[in-house]
Amino acid sequence: MLESLTDRLGNALRSLRGQAKLTEENMTESLQEVRKALLAADVHFRVAREFIDRVAKQCEGQAVLKSVTPGQMIVKIIHDELVSLLGEGSTALEDKKPLRVLLLGLQGSGKTTFAGKLALHLRKNGYTPAVIACDVYRPAAIDQLETLARDNDILFYGERDSKNVRKIGRNGWEWAKEQGADAIIFDTAGRLQIDEPLVKEVVDLKKEVQPDESILVADAALGQEAVNVAKTFHEAVGLTGIALSKLDGDTRGGAALSMKAIAQVPIKFLGTGEKVTDLEVFHPDRLAGRILGMGDVVSLVEKA
Amino acid sequence: MKSFFSKFKEGLKKSTPTFYKAFGKVGGLFSGKTIDADTLDELEEALYMADFGVETTEEILGAIREAYRENKELRGQEAAQIGTHVLESVLEGSEGRIEPGAHKPEVIALIGVNGSGKTTTTAKLAHLFKEDGLKPLVGACDTFRAAANEQVRTWCERLDVELVASQHGADSAAVAYDAYAAAKSRGADVLILDTAGRLHNKANLMKELQKIRRVLQKHDEAAPHHSWLVIDGSIGSNSIEQARVFHEAFGLTGIIVTKLDGTSRGGALVGIYRELKLPIYFVGLGEQPEDFQPFSIHHYTHALFGVED
Ligand SMILES: Nc1nc2c(ncn2[C@@H]2O[C@H](COP(=O)(O)OP(=O)(O)OP(=O)(O)O)[C@@H](O)[C@H]2O)c(=O)[nH]1
Ligand SMILES: Nc1nc2c(ncn2[C@@H]2O[C@H](COP(=O)(O)OP(=O)(O)OP(=O)(O)O)[C@@H](O)[C@H]2O)c(=O)[nH]1
Ligand SMILES: [Mg+2]
Ligand SMILES: [Mg+2]
């Protein structure tokens, strides 16, 4: 799949470059190939289609048809368009103290790990972080967060005999304030976006702790459903950012584009490993290159 | 082994709105109308949205288009049937079934990327074998992730299943070795090894897996008898790459697809089967031990296309 993606783009471009003249017709055909490449990178079907429409309009405007290197020019347009779409909105967290951050997402997406990562990141930026364990379901979820906190000297709060997430959140917040924390991170249980009782639970928690940031932690390798996940969570909870996890894998990460385009919530962080230090602030150009198929494309863009 | 097919179908039904809608608009199931070019476009969208990928989508679409060319009166129901047939033939031979007994203990190693559901699946399998009157034993080979031991221990206590674990940071292969010895001496029928999550592009972590295999083979040359890749059903095309690389490194014998209780339709499993012909043993349909079903081509394809039996 990885090869074929690059091949596909390559073929599409070769067909463009090979043409003495670029016509509307063969451009449409090439953009179809690019669309397929986006789909193979897990970009959502509709997002891919709309994206290609936008690119097609841009191509008209930029006299690609008259260009001597139409292929490169199209790739550059695609790349730039992708960067601007991915990069809309700020990657920064609210600049305030105290800062409260709510983390949520599907099961196994990387929330608890990200709680540790974010705490460390905020500490580097002058905060005193605390993490609050609001996952009362997953076996040993509290132990997991506590271990991460202990190993990194982060303030930790959890209640082992309570199932009242809202109360745990409130108590944790009060406790953390007393301890002098000014960045309070709430880790929640994994949940499906269609699980109404559990979505309500996180909405209630949000009401209780009034977070400044509500961040969706999502696996970068999500498939077509990424859009529904982001959109549904956003509608229910009101997201302020997305953190993509597991970008140290070799996924193209097309889901990120889908989530960004549909939910219109900025991507703020990238998780790039299992260690708590494996966190990066989001840079749209790198993700764009990745979705498009890296090397080849980037060098082509540079030549254009 | 007992069959729980009805629940599988229920799980997927909750998660098939796109297909129902596409074929609904196509007219088949619900209105009985014939299809047209627009509805074919919608169908294409529905197929992509199920993560079938370019190849399978084009194959299914191609078959329906051809039928449509020959018969402009093609009904939605018929189109759905065609799709079901194409998918069924792509998936032919993909139902994995396990009947422990040939080895004692029969060793199952669960491997996969981070967070795919290995530990929960370990609990589900242990539960299933126990229900079947067999004695399972679990080896906690994830000595890396924070509180991995505590997680699997909690499950084993809850299910009253024996566990062999070590402390955090220990050699995972040593745990596998000890777990085998314990399973043998305690008369366990099945040994389930839960391993740490690892991304397939990390060579050092893949080597660690090979070490687990080597030490098991000191006990039994044929072990592990089952090497199953646990795949998150909501992951897109990358799961094909995952399967390919894990298969090369460890020699998989099967697949388990988790989280099909969500809105994803797990279409990537079709791509995996297409390419690697690895049987799919079970699907995960929730976080509890009983949310687990043997994979059924019939139920999967029929639920996807909304075709009634
Ligand atoms: N390779 C890699 N692994 C990650 C990353 N982030 C998290 N993980 C791993 O992914 C797995 C799941 O992470 P968790 O933090 O437990 O995920 P979660 O969302 O809290 O899971 P639940 O609470 O069960 O919903 C663990 O094995 C983590 O070590 C990442 O950026 N890269
Ligand atoms: N909805 C749903 N959640 C599941 C399913 N299987 C596992 N989970 C959840 O997914 C999350 C991760 O599951 P684990 O079993 O810890 O995954 P893992 O592969 O062992 O994770 P690592 O060991 O960190 O790599 C947990 O919150 C589980 O409850 C399933 O079939 N459906
Ligand atoms: Mg967690
Ligand atoms: Mg695990």
Side-chain angles (χ1 to χ4, degrees), chain A residues 105-114 117 135 138 141 144 187-191 217 244-249 270-274 278, chain B residues 114-115 142 144-145 197 199 202 287:
Chain A
L106 296 179
Q107 287 93 347
S109 64
K111 296 172 293 299
T112 305
T113 310
F114 181 70
K117 291 177 178 181
D135 178 354
R138 170 172 166 168
Q144 188 186 356
D187 178 33
T188 64
R191 66 200 76 218
V217 182
L244 291 174
S245 67
K246 309 181 201 175
L247 269 156
D248 45 325
L270 305 182
T272 56
E274 293 187 70
D278 295 330
Chain B
N114 307 86
D142 181 353
F144 180 74
R145 210 207 60 222
L199 291 177
K202 304 215 163 147
E287 299 186 72

Side-chain angles (χ1 to χ4, degrees), chain B residues 2-309:
Chain B
K2 297 178 194 103
S3 70
F4 307 96
F5 289 127
S6 57
K7 185 161 182 193
F8 175 54
K9 196 157 182 190
E10 240 170 63
L12 266 172
K13 241 184 192 156
K14 274 191 277 176
S15 69
T16 51
T18 314
F19 271 87
Y20 280 123
K21 220 171 85 198
F23 281 109
K25 279 192 186 147
V26 167
L29 273 182
F30 306 112
S31 68
K33 270 193 281 183
T34 57
I35 64 176
D36 59 31
D38 279 353
T39 50
L40 279 171
D41 282 349
E42 278 169 38
L43 180 57
E44 181 187 18
E45 176 170 348
L47 292 168
Y48 272 112
M49 298 276 286
D51 288 315
F52 280 137
V54 178
E55 208 178 343
T56 304
T57 297
E58 290 191 340
E59 190 169 326
I60 294 173
L61 212 57
I64 294 176
R65 282 216 176 97
E66 197 179 308
Y68 176 60
R69 258 197 305 277
E70 278 163 21
N71 172 18
K72 294 280 181 235
E73 303 289 295
L74 191 72
R75 286 170 185 278
Q77 173 94 61
E78 293 162 325
Q81 291 283 3
I82 293 168
T84 310
H85 287 318
V86 172
L87 206 54
E88 274 172 344
S89 71
V90 171
L91 284 171
E92 203 185 320
S94 64
E95 289 174 354
R97 294 292 179 262
I98 176 174
E99 278 169 47
H103 310 269
K104 195 170 165 133
E106 190 124 336
V107 183
I108 302 174
L110 297 182
I111 62 182
V113 300
N114 307 86
S116 64
K118 296 170 292 300
T119 305
T120 311
T121 301
T122 299
K124 289 173 175 176
L125 282 169
H127 175 69
L128 190 73
F129 289 130
K130 229 182 143 212
E131 293 270 287
D132 266 12
L134 296 169
K135 177 174 173 172
L137 187 141
V138 169
C141 298
D142 181 353
T143 54
F144 180 74
R145 210 207 60 222
N149 266 334
E150 287 82 349
Q151 185 186 4
V152 74
R153 176 166 299 124
T154 306
W155 274 124
C156 286
E157 278 166 9
R158 209 177 276 177
L159 297 169
D160 192 20
V161 166
E162 286 186 47
L163 170 75
V164 171
S166 181
Q167 72 279 27
H168 184 79
D171 178 7
S172 56
V175 182
Y177 187 86
D178 293 348
Y180 188 100
K184 188 97 196 162
S185 70
R186 297 183 207 168
D189 299 293
V190 191
L191 170 63
I192 308 163
L193 299 175
D194 177 29
T195 65
R198 69 200 75 223
L199 291 177
H200 50 289
N201 58 343
K202 304 215 163 147
N204 56 330
L205 297 180
M206 298 305 272
K207 281 225 177 75
E208 186 189 272
L209 275 184
Q210 289 159 352
K211 189 171 170 200
I212 292 180
R213 171 183 294 279
R214 275 202 306 280
V215 304
L216 285 171
Q217 291 181 344
K218 288 184 188 162
H219 285 294
D220 175 352
E221 274 182 11
H225 311 102
H226 307 276
S227 301
W228 291 344
L229 182 68
V230 179
I231 285 199
D232 181 334
S234 64
I235 298 304
S237 62
N238 192 247
S239 47
I240 299 172
E241 193 60 22
Q242 289 173 17
R244 190 186 292 141
V245 178
F246 273 105
H247 192 37
E248 272 168 25
F250 199 67
L252 298 173
T253 64
I255 304 277
I256 291 180
V257 185
T258 64
K259 310 186 194 176
L260 283 183
D261 48 324
T263 47
S264 298
R265 292 156 213 55
L269 69 85
V270 181
I272 295 173
Y273 187 70
R274 258 198 123 93
E275 185 165 326
L276 301 173
K277 293 287 180 286
L278 289 166
I280 301 148
Y281 279 83
F282 292 96
V283 294
L285 295 162
E287 299 186 72
Q288 298 311 313
E290 56 280 4
D291 299 331
F292 199 50
Q293 300 295 317
F295 176 66
S296 151
I297 300 171
H298 181 84
H299 287 98
Y300 181 70
T301 56
H302 283 65
L304 272 173
F305 282 96
V307 173
E308 293 303 324
D309 294 314

